[in-house]
């Protein structure tokens, strides 16, 4: 079983802990069976323990870009505006042009600097300090935390769910990024035309809470290594993909090699 790579939205191996190992194939649903197979292929781990506001900032930086681009931006931001336990206070007072320059490697830096500064001002106004916001993330009722985060302009469902998972350590949270959205619909774990929220609801209903966090990060890694958008491994034959037997391959024509978005392969699916 491989170690979790450091280049991951979770921030890598630090934090969390190991679960009791689970055996592949013992799931009650196909979605759980997929997660179980990923548990045999990749790491098995619990998540949580990251600083809430830093996690929020880190996830905003990751929007619409790769870890390779967002990680240096996060490191530069923390070097300039840290430490983590006073991050909201510092960023609320930051000059927006200076902040944008600091996070330039993440792309969309003007937009992201506005969102980050707005979130910092909101956190201080609503909670009084970074520490108080962090306590809310870890101790608040999960649905209230999620709804509160979604009320901040520029914070979407995936960002809110990542904060709940990686900072709050909440079970039953399966954030849906581009990889998860593609793979879940391609495999038939969610309707082909489902939006990100539809995919999240389908998977969270079918996968036990203690396996959701791992399932999210492992599915991202699986998307990078096997189930890419343009050339999934199954085009090289059934033996090329470890999850071939659990996949409907919606939108994939293994004969002519054509690959389309699952929603385009099933007209009218919702």
């Amino acid at each position: 079983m491989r170690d979790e790579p450091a280049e991951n939205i979770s921030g890598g191996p630090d934090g969390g802990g190991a679960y009791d190992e689970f055996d592949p194939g013992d799931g009650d649903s196909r979605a759980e069976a997929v997660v179980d197979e990923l548990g045999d292929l990749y790491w098995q781990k619990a998540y949580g323990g990251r600083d809430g506001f830093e996690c929020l900032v880190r996830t905003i930086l990751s929007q619409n870009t790769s870890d390779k681009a967002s990680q240096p931006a996060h490191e530069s931001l923390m070097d300039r505006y840290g430490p983590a336990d006073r991050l909201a206070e510092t960023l609320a007072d930051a000059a927006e042009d200076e902040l944008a320059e600091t996070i330039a490697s993440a792309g969309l830096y003007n937009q992201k600097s506005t969102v980050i500064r707005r979130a910092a001002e909101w956190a201080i106004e609503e909670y009084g300090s970074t520490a108080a916001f962090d306590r809310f993330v870890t101790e608040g009722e999960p649905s209230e935390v999620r709804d509160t985060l979604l009320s901040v302009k520029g914070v979407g469902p995936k960002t809110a769910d990542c904060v709940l998972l990686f900072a709050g350590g909440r079970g039953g949270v399966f954030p849906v990024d581009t990889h998860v959205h593609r793979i879940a619909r391609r495999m038939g774990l969610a309707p082909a035309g489902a939006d990100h929220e539809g995919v999240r609801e389908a998977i969270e209903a079918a996968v036990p809470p203690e396996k959701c966090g791992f399932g999210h990060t492992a599915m991202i890694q699986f998307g990078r290594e096997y189930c890419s958008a343009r050339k999934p491994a199954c085009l090289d034959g059934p033996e090329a993909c470890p999850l071939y037997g659990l996949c409907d391959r919606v939108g994939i024509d293994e004969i002519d090699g054509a690959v389309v978005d699952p929603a385009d392969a099933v007209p009218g699916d919702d």
Side-chain angles (χ1 to χ4, degrees), residues 52 122 126-127 129-149 163-164 168 170:
W122 164 80
E126 290 294 318
Y127 300 97
S129 67
T130 304
F133 172 81
D134 289 356
R135 285 194 298 273
F136 171 67
V137 168
T138 57
E139 298 173 8
E141 200 279 322
S143 62
E144 180 185 357
V145 174
R146 189 176 196 268
D147 289 345
T148 300
L149 290 171
V163 173
L164 275 172
R170 307 309 180 93

Side-chain angles (χ1 to χ4, degrees), residues 46-96:
Y47 294 99
R50 299 199 168 275
D51 295 298
F53 193 77
E54 182 184 359
C55 185
L56 175 60
V57 169
R58 173 69 180 86
T59 311
I60 292 170
L61 289 173
S62 76
Q63 294 172 353
N64 301 301
T65 192
S66 65
D67 290 337
K68 185 176 181 180
S70 64
Q71 185 60 34
H74 175 246
E75 292 170 356
S76 295
L77 182 147
M78 294 306 298
D79 286 344
R80 192 164 202 167
Y81 299 106
D85 61 3
R86 287 194 53 78
L87 189 59
E89 289 89 337
T90 307
L91 287 172
D93 292 331
E96 203 162 303

Side-chain angles (χ1 to χ4, degrees), residues 99-147:
L99 175 57
E101 178 185 359
T102 303
I103 64 172
S105 68
L108 300 175
Y109 48 88
N110 288 320
Q111 175 182 323
K112 291 177 181 179
S113 64
T114 298
V115 173
I116 289 170
R117 193 170 185 276
R118 182 191 300 128
E121 292 173 342
W122 164 80
I124 296 304
E125 181 179 345
E126 290 294 318
Y127 300 97
S129 67
T130 304
F133 172 81
D134 289 356
R135 285 194 298 273
F136 171 67
V137 168
T138 57
E139 298 173 8
E141 200 279 322
S143 62
E144 180 185 357
V145 174
R146 189 176 196 268
D147 289 345

Side-chain angles (χ1 to χ4, degrees), residues 143-198:
S143 62
E144 180 185 357
V145 174
R146 189 176 196 268
D147 289 345
T148 300
L149 290 171
L150 289 175
S151 72
V152 181
K153 187 176 180 180
V155 175
K158 177 240 181 178
T159 298
D161 289 337
C162 283
V163 173
L164 275 172
L165 175 62
F166 300 124
R170 307 309 180 93
V173 178
F174 203 116
V176 176
D177 75 332
T178 300
H179 292 288
V180 174
H181 186 240
R182 176 182 72 252
I183 293 167
R185 294 178 302 127
R186 181 179 281 174
M187 296 191 77
L189 306 181
D195 60 11
H196 283 62
E197 282 291 87

